[in-house]
Every structure is written in structure tokens, then in C-alpha cells.
Amino acid sequence: MPDILPDSRLAQPTGVKRLVNRLGSLNYVPIFCANCGAEGGMVPQENMTFAFYLCNSCAEKWTPLVDTCLVPDQLFWQKVNEAQLENYGRILSAPEIANELQDPNSILSLLAREKRSAL
């Protein structure tokens, strides 16, 4: 099992701020250094599945290790590709994937439910 980078957002966000920028009005959540917990600014809450941050003090020491780890979404899509190759012998097209997701017992539906429950 590959190492997975930790998420720098809080599991239960506190300090959420509503900010207006050129994209409109968005909620922003604070992030913290994955190593020491130092504050690291804010990221948009909407449409974010992951954020990893290292402060300046920790980056020099830990950045080389970061390249050996996977982002959780990379691991998920790796599983999806492996499941397609194993079960169908190839990577499916978008319409084929949509069709498979209609079947609650297909491997792709099972992986999609697993992903949703992890969020």
C-alpha cells in the first residue's frame, strides 16, 4: 500500500470565512502544516477534496518525501483503473462507465460508494 499524503484541512472545519473574489462568494477553510500544525492560510471549501500544505520550516526537510506519496484521489483513480483492467480487460469509455454506475452491484458502483463514504 503506498503512503498517502495527509489532508491539511480540519476534519470538522472551524474558522470558516465567507470571502468574495472574482469567482464570486465562497466559503474558505483554514489549512495547517501537515507536519507541525502551523497555520497555512485558507482554501475554498467548495469543490475541494484534498489540500496538503507544509510550512516554510518543514518544507525543506519533508519536501523530498512528498514526491514518494500519493494524493488520496490519485489512489482512488488508480483503483478504478485497476478494477476496469481486471474486470473488463481495458479502460472503459465515459458512456460505458455511466452504464456501469447504473448497476449497484458493478465494481465501479462499489468503488464510487466507497469514495463517497470516505468523504
Side-chain angles (χ1 to χ4, degrees), residues 1 3 11 18 24 34 44 46 48 75-77 86 90 98 106:
M1 185 74 160
D3 289 328
R18 188 104 177 138
E46 291 86 6
M48 291 281 298
L75 184 60
F76 170 74
W77 288 111
E86 183 176 317
R90 62 187 172 82
S106 77

Side-chain angles (χ1 to χ4, degrees), residues 7-41:
D7 199 327
S8 292
R9 300 171 300 160
L10 296 173
Q12 299 295 320
T14 59
V16 177
K17 293 185 180 169
R18 188 104 177 138
L19 301 173
V20 179
N21 63 25
R22 63 183 177 86
L23 300 175
S25 182
L26 296 171
N27 287 336
Y28 282 76
V29 296
I31 59 172
F32 302 90
C33 177
N35 183 55
C36 72
E39 290 185 25

